Amino acid sequence: MLQSVEFRGIVLFSKDYKEKDCLVKIFTEHAGKMMFFARNVQRKNNPLKQAIMNFHYGTYMGKLQRDSLSFLNGVKTIDVFQRIQADIFLSAFATYILNLVDAALEDNEYDPNLYGFTKQSLQLIDQGYDAQIITNIFELQILSRFGVQLNLHSCAVCGETQEKFAFSAYMSGIVCTKHCLQDKTLYKASPQIIHFARMLSNIHLNQIRSINISDEIKQELRIFIDTLYDEYVGINLKSKKFLDQMKDWI
Ligand SMILES: [Zn+2]
């Protein structure tokens, strides 16, 4: 019989199943994301009840199966991103990040780097760092998991690094002023936006303290990253629409 094991994970989402049970998707550190069945979890006093709620993470116990549903049996330590959970704006950013993970990664795909990156991104938002910037970094750096490799470093034609650049969807990268003339797929982001997009796509989250970006640049970055996602990724996440609508509330 399959043994119950301990594993670290972050809840991606959960949903009720029949009266007392739940299905919960967890991004585990050592086995990728998996769907778990949690029995009787909606009963009072079941410690799992809280542990499978949004924005929780911790060390769980369960039976992990690659080819079918896994079973969640218990929880050893549990933590929550408290600030995110309490703030509708922050929770909108965090939900979008978790949805991106779910969309980018196949079930059971081992990806401890993405696990660490996701956890650290949420921790930084929870600690009060700029949620939009963290989200932009996450969006840019998770592109490779969608199979998208962009060259934001140098002109895709001549390798020039010092020029002013525009972004070419056709070349999947930036092109200098000499090489952008014939390109109908050109997105003329300002040189500043290309600069910041390049920086955010390479930055390590440990360096985040040194970032300071104006609201105007942030708005342009939002548009540029949306353009990249429309062009290369093509997913429609409700959580992203919600984030976009949220801007009108302020
Ligand atoms: Zn060039």
Side-chain angles (χ1 to χ4, degrees), residues 1-198:
M1 220 177 106
L2 206 59
Q3 290 292 315
S4 200
V5 292
E6 269 181 38
F7 60 92
R8 280 194 289 269
I10 304 169
V11 172
L12 291 178
F13 64 85
S14 61
K15 54 188 174 191
D16 295 348
Y17 183 77
K18 294 192 177 163
E19 269 178 46
K20 300 179 192 126
D21 309 328
C22 269
L23 287 170
V24 52
K25 198 162 221 185
I26 297 180
F27 185 14
T28 75
E29 186 173 23
H30 78 273
K33 67 186 173 91
M34 298 180 116
M35 187 68 98
F36 290 86
F37 184 73
R39 197 183 296 281
N40 286 331
V41 79
Q42 298 190 56
R43 283 204 177 139
K44 257 193 215 164
N45 303 328
N46 188 330
L48 269 179
K49 186 175 178 168
Q50 198 182 359
I52 61 167
M53 285 163 75
N54 287 347
F55 314 123
H56 282 70
Y57 61 102
T59 305
Y60 298 86
M61 284 169 289
K63 293 179 178 176
L64 274 55
Q65 305 197 95
R66 290 188 67 83
D67 304 328
S68 58
L69 209 56
S70 296
F71 291 89
L72 198 62
N73 300 330
V75 56
K76 206 170 174 201
T77 60
I78 194 69
D79 225 323
V80 60
F81 298 110
Q82 274 181 347
R83 216 157 154 174
I84 290 175
Q85 193 188 40
D87 182 314
I88 189 169
F89 290 95
L90 299 186
S91 63
F93 283 103
T95 303
Y96 173 51
I97 284 175
L98 292 169
N99 286 175
L100 278 179
V101 170
D102 199 21
L105 203 65
E106 295 288 333
D107 282 0
N108 306 321
E109 202 178 316
Y110 173 65
D111 198 338
N113 290 334
L114 183 58
Y115 177 87
F117 181 53
T118 305
K119 191 172 169 192
Q120 194 179 3
S121 299
L122 297 176
Q123 278 169 333
L124 289 171
I125 292 177
D126 205 51
Q127 286 164 16
Y129 287 92
D130 190 316
Q132 186 188 323
I133 296 301
I134 305 284
T135 302
N136 290 162
I137 292 171
F138 197 86
E139 289 172 302
L140 286 166
Q141 296 195 11
I142 205 178
L143 277 173
S144 63
R145 298 303 197 285
F146 286 105
V148 181
Q149 302 288 350
L150 300 178
N151 172 8
L152 297 175
H153 178 67
S154 58
C155 172
V157 180
C158 69
E160 176 64 64
T161 56
Q162 303 299 326
E163 276 265 4
K164 284 185 179 171
F165 296 102
F167 182 82
S168 159
Y170 177 67
M171 300 298 292
S172 290
I174 53 174
V175 283
C176 71
T177 43
K178 275 182 260 139
H179 292 114
C180 68
L181 301 171
Q182 304 290 320
D183 196 330
K184 288 192 179 113
T185 66
L186 217 56
Y187 179 81
K188 290 196 175 111
S190 69
Q192 258 184 316
I193 295 305
I194 303 281
H195 163 79
F196 280 110
R198 179 196 291 161

Side-chain angles (χ1 to χ4, degrees), residues 192-216:
Q192 258 184 316
I193 295 305
I194 303 281
H195 163 79
F196 280 110
R198 179 196 291 161
M199 184 180 87
L200 297 184
S201 59
N202 290 316
I203 198 166
H204 193 282
L205 287 173
N206 292 337
Q207 301 166 273
I208 193 78
R209 284 162 189 80
S210 57
I211 295 190
N212 197 357
I213 300 181
S214 73
D215 286 347
E216 197 185 343

